[in-house]
């Protein structure tokens, strides 16, 4: 995902701004990262340059957990894909 594209994104639920934590990038492309809504605290991973912004009913916490753990992030209990607790390992 191009860095300039990130500026055009917003939370699909409440249309608020997103913050980003870039995990891996190359040549102005974000390859891995985590976007977080500034209002509702929902998180959206960026995997292989693709932002995952699917509705909650199509996401599975068990599939996303290993990726987040690999990034050194440990997400507490997932409630509507909101960050209830975030602890860096």
């Amino acid at each position: 995902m191009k860095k300039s594209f990130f500026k055009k994104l917003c939370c699909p639920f409440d249309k608020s701004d997103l913050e980003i934590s870039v995990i891996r990038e190359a040549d102005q492309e974000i390859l891995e990262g985590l976007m977080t809504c500034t209002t509702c605290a929902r998180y959206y991973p960026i995997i292989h340059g693709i932002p995952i912004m699917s509705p909650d009913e199509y996401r599975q916490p068990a599939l996303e957990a290993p990726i987040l753990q690999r990034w050194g992030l440990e997400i507490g209990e997932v409630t509507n894909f909101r960050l209830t607790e975030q602890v860096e390992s």
Side-chain angles (χ1 to χ4, degrees), residues 9-80:
L9 296 177
C10 67
C11 178
F13 289 90
D14 58 23
K15 310 301 184 235
S16 296
D17 290 334
L18 297 170
E19 293 179 342
I20 189 165
S21 297
V22 177
I23 308 297
R24 192 167 60 105
E25 65 181 306
D27 300 323
Q28 296 296 314
E29 291 254 353
I30 301 168
L31 302 176
E32 293 183 340
L34 189 68
M35 300 179 293
T36 309
C37 178
T38 57
T39 302
C40 72
R42 278 187 169 85
Y43 65 87
Y44 307 99
I46 302 168
I47 303 168
H48 299 294
I50 300 169
I52 309 300
M53 300 181 79
S54 303
D56 291 351
E57 59 267 16
Y58 297 114
R59 294 175 68 185
Q60 296 182 18
L63 294 177
E64 294 180 13
I67 295 164
L68 298 173
Q69 288 173 348
R70 186 185 73 191
W71 293 342
L73 299 171
E74 191 172 315
I75 303 300
E77 182 181 341
V78 176
T79 306
N80 294 329

